[in-house]
Amino acid sequence: MLFVFVRRIYHLTIYRQNMQLKRVVVTGIGALTPLGNNLEDYWNGLINGVSGANMITLFDASKFKTKFACELKNFEATDYLDRKESRKIDRFAQIAIIASDQAVLDAKIDKATINPDRVGVIFGSGIGGLITFQNEVIDFAKGDGTPRFNPYFIPKMILDIAAGQISMRHGFRGPNFAVVSACASSTNAIIDAFDYIRIGKADIVVTGGSEAVVSQAGVGGFNAMKALSERNDGFETASRPYDKDRDGFVMGEGAGVLILEDLDHALARGAHIYCEIAGGGATADAHHITAPHPEGLGAKNVMLSALKDAGMKPEDIDYINTHGTSTPLGDGAELKAITHVFGEHAYKLNISSTKSMTGHCLGAAGVIEAIACIQSIVHGIIPPTINHFTDDPELDPQLNFTFNKAQHRPVNAALSNTFGFGGHNAAVIVKKYVA
Amino acid sequence: MSDIATRVKKIIVDKLGVDEAEVTTEASFTNDLGADSLDTVELIMEFEKEFNISIPDEQAETITTVGQAVAYLEEHAK
């Protein structure tokens, strides 16, 4: 009996050791961002240094400290979704569906030739259907206490509904769940999707994230924390990571989707390959609910862990798309971590915060910025950190922040950092696909 | 068509996204107009709001067609 048990454990160990991790590639992209409602417009906005900021149109912000945000432009859900359906879906899930439609189309997934039981959806959001939640509660509070909640209140609001909606739309019946780690959510989702495929639990995973909380509760809540920039008289220049006069982040909204696929599966169906996912890391600061660790400890560990996972050296990285939210504390802590991890190489790589253009899309930031990294590999262009006016004497001036103008540079590998309230850190490394 | 019938029809067209022509007296919310169980609950709530009444659950369950809704509301609407 004991012998049988020991033999089983032994075989399991051997099996695990021999288990070859699969390579995972990106075969489709979808994006709805404050710079444009598709990948091409998003990328053109990025490399041309366009600000996505605007005075808030989604609600009357006249009494709010912050009256601007990076909203989606010219976006009407009914241009993409049936009116009856869109009414039952919160804005965050609407844009998740639309971006995933783009990505599925881009990946040319032929539903007749794939096994839908092996296609998963692992999708992030920081908050979920806050607008629905807010409006339902406002309606309830207006009444005499009689509960008159809409039957779609809960299924509109819950954060996992985006993953569910995407699966229903395409008939993808593989692993399906949501990932939440505040502003690191969609990076954690990408890493989970990567893991599911590389250990053989899925052929394809639709992953990414979405966020849409430009609302009274969203802006009011972040305002109360003093997290948002209040530069109402110069909103287009408010998101200014690494500038001496940065005064908080600018809220953005958007959705990004990647189709991750087992390399062999992608090759067998002749898919276009954007790049390979090299590795990912996830750590915690274990320090404070909202403030970053002053020395960037969790950020340092997450980059080291992503490099280790990818089997890469610091010198292999050409570009870091930073979390860089334009807050006084966060920007400096992350840079400390970068100089610690990358040493001399920190001065050779390009660093940029594309949040200077998109604003901070919260739970969608990770994937939207991973897409910027992928495009930097594809096009050999580093998108800039715009709105730089005054050097911050606290920050290392030798670092190349890619200030104000895009730079041409061949990129073999890029790393994207994201950090979330709660002390969550996640980093993903993408690299050029080489057969 | 009564004023109540017109208002009922308008709500159904709006909430279920169907053509006005489909909303006949005999039309069943679920069998003919594509409503699921949550849509039906939402319709009843909209009727309550529009006509400022409260429809008890056991009554609500018996309202499954356009005609039944109009008849109920003609009887109970204030």
Side-chain angles (χ1 to χ4, degrees):
Chain A
M1 190 63 193
L2 183 67
F3 171 75
V4 173
F5 180 70
V6 169
R7 195 174 62 175
R8 279 206 184 136
I9 295 286
Y10 173 76
H11 281 159
L12 196 65
T13 313
I14 295 295
Y15 170 75
R16 288 246 164 94
Q17 281 170 353
N18 290 343
M19 190 171 72
Q20 191 74 43
L21 289 178
K22 292 171 183 296
R23 291 173 70 184
V24 179
V25 291
V26 176
T27 57
I29 300 177
L32 266 81
T33 76
L35 302 181
N37 296 335
N38 56 63
L39 175 63
E40 194 187 347
D41 290 348
Y42 169 44
W43 179 243
N44 284 334
L46 281 184
I47 58 176
N48 290 310
V50 175
S51 164
N54 57 276
M55 294 307 281
I56 289 172
T57 66
L58 291 169
F59 70 96
D60 175 8
S62 55
K63 289 186 178 160
F64 286 66
K65 281 185 193 144
T66 298
K67 304 178 202 318
F68 60 97
C70 291
E71 296 177 341
L72 296 176
K73 310 292 185 296
N74 306 314
F75 172 74
E76 283 294 338
T78 46
D79 291 349
Y80 306 86
L81 304 171
D82 172 65
R83 193 188 65 84
K84 182 191 163 201
E85 283 308 308
S86 70
R87 208 173 52 72
K88 300 175 183 174
I89 305 174
D90 185 272
R91 185 175 174 91
F92 99 96
Q94 289 175 348
I95 61 178
I97 291 169
I98 296 161
S100 62
D101 280 359
Q102 292 175 356
V104 168
L105 191 70
D106 185 40
K108 298 189 170 63
I109 295 173
D110 175 1
K111 286 167 198 162
T113 62
I114 54 140
N115 178 357
D117 295 337
R118 299 218 9 114
V119 182
V121 183
I122 300 178
F123 212 76
S125 178
I127 305 178
L130 183 68
I131 296 177
T132 295
F133 182 82
Q134 167 198 294
N135 292 341
E136 282 290 324
V137 173
I138 288 174
D139 269 0
F140 173 68
K142 274 185 195 155
D144 63 1
T146 309
R148 286 186 180 281
F149 289 99
N150 189 289
Y152 289 101
F153 170 28
I154 301 296
K156 271 174 87 171
M157 176 206 71
I158 49 177
L159 191 145
D160 56 289
I161 203 69
Q165 290 280 6
I166 294 165
S167 75
M168 283 174 251
R169 199 158 168 92
H170 299 284
F172 297 151
R173 296 191 297 256
N176 190 290
F177 56 89
V179 177
V180 191
S181 51
C183 303
S185 297
S186 53
T187 306
N188 277 119
I190 294 168
I191 295 167
D192 277 8
F194 172 53
D195 285 342
Y196 264 73
I197 297 170
R198 66 175 165 168
I199 62 174
K201 286 191 172 179
D203 296 331
I204 294 175
V205 177
V206 180
T207 187
S210 72
E211 201 80 79
V213 297
V214 180
S215 61
Q216 292 89 333
V219 174
F222 281 106
N223 257 161
M225 297 170 62
K226 305 264 178 214
L228 297 181
S229 166
E230 297 174 15
R231 197 182 296 276
N232 294 307
D233 55 354
F235 61 88
E236 283 170 321
T237 66
S239 188
R240 50 173 79 186
Y242 313 119
D243 188 273
K244 182 172 169 289
D245 301 318
R246 63 189 184 274
D247 72 329
F249 76 79
V250 177
M251 185 183 289
E253 60 169 359
V257 175
L258 299 179
I259 304 296
L260 298 198
E261 189 164 353
D262 166 9
L263 172 63
D264 295 332
H265 193 272
L267 291 174
R269 67 179 188 91
H272 166 71
I273 294 173
Y274 282 93
C275 71
E276 181 168 358
I277 304 288
T283 65
D285 275 10
H287 169 69
H288 185 268
I289 53 167
T290 57
H293 189 282
E295 297 304 314
L297 180 68
K300 186 182 82 183
N301 288 342
V302 83
M303 286 185 273
L304 287 171
S305 128
L307 285 167
K308 188 178 175 207
D309 189 43
M312 293 171 98
K313 298 186 295 292
E315 302 79 63
D316 295 329
I317 303 295
D318 302 297
Y319 168 46
I320 299 179
N321 186 303
T322 57
H323 190 57
T325 57
S326 185
T327 56
L329 277 181
D331 291 8
E334 182 180 9
L335 292 179
K336 276 186 197 166
I338 289 172
T339 43
H340 188 280
V341 170
F342 289 86
E344 276 305 301
H345 185 66
Y347 303 108
K348 294 183 188 137
L349 47 79
N350 272 79
I351 292 169
S352 77
S353 168
T354 45
K355 287 189 181 77
S356 56
M357 296 172 275
T358 61
H360 186 358
C361 298
L362 307 171
V367 64
I368 284 174
E369 290 158 23
I371 292 171
C373 289
I374 293 166
Q375 290 286 79
S376 78
I377 293 173
V378 172
H379 297 280
I381 304 174
I382 309 287
T385 305
I386 67 163
N387 294 331
H388 183 70
F389 303 98
T390 314
D391 286 344
D392 180 348
E394 302 285 313
L395 306 179
D396 191 337
Q398 292 180 75
L399 293 168
N400 180 359
F401 294 96
T402 325
F403 278 138
N404 295 334
K405 240 178 111 58
Q407 293 177 12
H408 285 265
R409 165 185 193 145
V411 179
N412 185 58
L415 180 150
S416 171
N417 271 336
T418 44
F419 314 131
F421 286 167
H424 320 287
N425 310 294
V428 65
I429 299 174
V430 289
K431 67 177 183 186
K432 194 164 268 183
Y433 166 66
V434 181
Chain B
M1 197 185 289
S2 72
D3 163 59
I4 286 180
T6 313
R7 284 154 74 192
V8 165
K9 207 166 175 176
K10 189 167 170 287
I11 289 171
I12 294 169
V13 167
D14 179 53
K15 292 295 166 190
L16 300 183
V18 289
D19 245 29
E20 227 179 295
E22 294 174 69
V23 190
T24 59
T25 309
E26 301 76 34
S28 150
F29 300 139
T30 50
N31 298 334
D32 303 314
L33 302 176
D36 61 22
S37 58
L38 294 183
D39 289 324
T40 319
V41 176
E42 198 184 22
L43 274 183
I44 297 292
M45 286 181 56
E46 287 301 316
F47 297 150
E48 291 180 327
K49 207 191 282 176
E50 173 75 18
F51 297 98
N52 195 25
I53 59 169
S54 174
I55 306 176
D57 283 354
E58 52 277 20
Q59 301 279 325
E61 280 165 20
T62 65
I63 303 173
T64 61
T65 69
V66 178
Q68 286 165 352
V70 173
Y72 181 90
L73 293 164
E74 279 178 340
E75 192 182 330
H76 294 89
K78 289 156 196 166

